[in-house]
Amino acid sequence: MVQNKKLVKYMKKAVIIKEFFYFLSSLLLLAVLVELIFPGLFILFFNLAFLTMLWLILALLTLLYVRQ
Amino acid sequence: MAFFKYKIRIFWLILLVIIIFFLIWQKVSPSGEWTCRQNFNVTSLSLVKDTLGGYSCLSNPTPTERVISGVSGPLVVLADPVYFSVFTPRSFSRVEVEITYRPHLSSSTPIVEAGFLADNKLWRYDLQPVYNLWLEKGLTDWQVLSMGSIHLFQRQAKFDSIFDFLDAWQNNGSSICSTPRCLAIYNFDLSGFPPALNQKQLNETSKSLVFPYTIRGANQFYFYLSGSTLNLSGELIDRNEGKDKDPIELSVYSGSRLVASTKIEDNGMEIEGSGDFSESKIFQMNKSGLNPGLYRLDFRASDDLMINNLSLNVQYFSALRKIWLENDEPIHLITDSSYLQVKTLSPAALQKLKFDEKFLNIEEIYKQYEIKGIETDNHEIDLAKGGLILENNGVFSLNKESMFNPDYPRLDRSFGTSAQFDYILADYESAKNESDNYLSSRLDFSTSSFYREKGRYNFIISVPGLKLNQADASYLEIKEIKMRFYGNSLWFKIRNWLNI
């Protein structure tokens, strides 16, 4: 029972990380598109370097969770 | 678990859609307004915002050595000028700029101006006054008449209203003066009024003039045409130092009206950036049916282009505010301004120049030098060779016979040494007092003709005469710059499109 609970919690975490990774990937794709069409617009509101760093961290975490 | 995953996915998809709508909203700016605000008093909150958020719509000032921007406190401007770029999601037709600042200026740096780049070829900025020490504090013993933001300063009270003065000036011109050029203007347009010089004094013989020096880059000239036909010719040489093509546009203006224009494209025979000089290319411009009078000739060209053997059928011919000549032989010019600013981009042009009886050693490239002359009407300039960019607030001519300046003297930083003026006409809004001895000034620009590249306007703050390591330690503190852009709203555009 306790193990089941732990597993659910773990899987929830994995889903959140994965989904957040997908969200950031979509956001970065959007950033590239917006910057190609309207240069300067996306980077006015979002820190691209910060988003990329977060995306990399999540990519590593996703790999870690998927492996496990 | 699948439901949990579905919920999260729906959530981030909605968030992404909101972000897309937000970006579209910003791009379209449906209200027709856009505000860009930069507070230079940095707080810990703004540091967090800068880290997590994007760039500021107002770029960092450049060159960085001319400013101090600490962790907290205002932006300190130490030398002139300072450049910014301003991002806007789309183009707008008008902008209101509000600058909050604390001036620590002296009589050698009495003016603060700000503006936008209007012409990227002539490198011309549309500037408006932010602060003028003479108008704020320097003319206390003058009698002043005001009408809104327009002020008439009289050394001796002769007129009771600005209308009376303008009426007298329109009808009698400089004959109401005790000295030949007695009216100085500041940020005031006197087009439609008689020019600052008496045209009857100009000798109306139709001579022809061949400019003996090679002119480089963008330049503006005044000339006086005594006949009705203008014949202009010369030879173009492309230095091919830059990587872009180098077309040239020659335009002749009467006042603000374009009367003749021609564009010569780069033939592209040589490789751009190779440094190989092109063959001389002869150009001509002939225009008949012109009225005798004053005209302005604009050469809109890159720094790569040179004009040789410029020939015109005029006698009076003066370069306006700036001239860049390229010759290996000695050059002699005269100017009507009592100071001269000199800069060179080439080590080969380093030299000792003579201004009146004074000498100035040009020892470094890209450094702006300045020399003051003696108190006289015309000042002699002697250069050992070309390659120097000469600038001041007057005109440059070959000799006294060809020299004339139709512009009104401007109330600028050289005003303190001049006692010739009886009247000063200024369009100037006094600075408002804010807390902590700060002042704020509001400027209004029409942005339709401003140069905009990659969504950015070029903005400048200028304090003429302000230099690094200045003896009188002048500087300018800027607390905040706020820009509010105005344009057509989306609703207006839809109505216009539907013809409602």
Side-chain angles (χ1 to χ4, degrees), chain A residues 7-9 11-13 15-16 18-20 22-23 26-27 30 34 38-48 50, chain B residues 1 4-5 8-9 12 15-16 19-20 22-24 26-27 34 50-57 87 89 454-456:
Chain A
L7 187 68
V8 169
K9 206 175 168 186
M11 281 178 74
K12 270 189 176 178
K13 249 189 210 172
V15 166
I16 289 169
K18 250 168 79 177
E19 291 300 315
F20 196 25
Y22 293 152
F23 167 66
S26 317
L27 197 61
L30 179 71
V34 170
F38 309 121
L41 187 64
F42 191 90
I43 56 171
L44 188 68
F45 302 103
F46 299 94
N47 188 333
L48 214 51
F50 183 74
Chain B
M1 192 53 67
F4 179 70
K5 189 174 159 184
I8 289 183
R9 188 159 291 180
W12 73 252
L15 195 61
L16 201 66
I19 290 170
I20 292 168
F22 171 75
L23 291 172
I24 292 170
Q26 292 296 332
K27 177 67 195 168
W34 165 265
D50 286 349
T51 312
L52 298 178
Y55 288 94
S56 167
C57 48
F87 177 84
K454 291 179 182 169
R456 289 186 171 270

Side-chain angles (χ1 to χ4, degrees), chain B residues 355-371:
Chain B
F355 186 57
D356 290 334
E357 294 307 315
K358 296 178 178 178
F359 289 92
L360 175 67
N361 252 332
I362 312 297
E363 294 167 322
E364 285 178 51
I365 57 170
Y366 290 102
K367 184 178 174 182
Q368 180 110 304
Y369 291 87
E370 187 170 315
I371 183 169

Side-chain angles (χ1 to χ4, degrees), chain B residues 192-250:
Chain B
F193 283 81
L197 61 87
N198 188 351
Q199 290 185 53
K200 285 174 190 163
Q201 288 171 357
L202 298 177
N203 184 0
E204 294 215 2
T205 54
S206 181
K207 284 189 179 176
S208 97
L209 178 142
V210 179
F211 203 79
Y213 308 122
T214 305
I215 303 160
R216 184 171 173 187
N219 284 278
Q220 292 180 297
F221 297 90
Y222 280 129
F223 65 87
Y224 181 80
L225 188 70
S226 53
S228 60
T229 306
L230 171 69
N231 299 316
L232 185 152
S233 64
E235 294 168 16
L236 276 179
I237 300 166
D238 188 351
R239 298 172 70 94
N240 290 308
E241 288 172 356
K243 289 186 177 165
D244 296 327
K245 295 247 177 225
D246 303 294
I248 184 169
E249 201 175 328
L250 284 82

Side-chain angles (χ1 to χ4, degrees), chain B residues 396-440:
Chain B
F396 297 91
S397 288
L398 292 171
N399 47 46
K400 280 180 190 171
E401 287 71 44
S402 66
M403 178 152 182
F404 81 123
N405 186 357
D407 277 347
Y408 285 93
R410 200 168 165 266
L411 181 73
D412 59 14
R413 66 194 174 96
S414 61
F415 169 77
T417 57
S418 177
Q420 73 182 70
F421 305 119
D422 292 331
Y423 306 99
I424 294 163
L425 202 48
D427 186 355
Y428 178 76
E429 199 90 54
S430 290
K432 278 185 197 156
N433 287 312
E434 304 278 343
S435 57
D436 293 336
N437 292 329
Y438 275 102
L439 301 172
S440 77

Side-chain angles (χ1 to χ4, degrees), chain B residues 120-146:
Chain B
N120 68 321
K121 286 273 190 218
L122 288 173
W123 212 244
R124 183 177 60 79
Y125 280 85
D126 185 352
L127 294 172
Q128 286 195 17
V130 175
Y131 182 81
N132 188 316
L133 190 70
W134 302 126
L135 298 177
E136 293 278 352
K137 291 174 181 171
L139 302 170
T140 45
D141 52 342
W142 290 51
Q143 198 252 352
V144 59
L145 297 171
S146 296

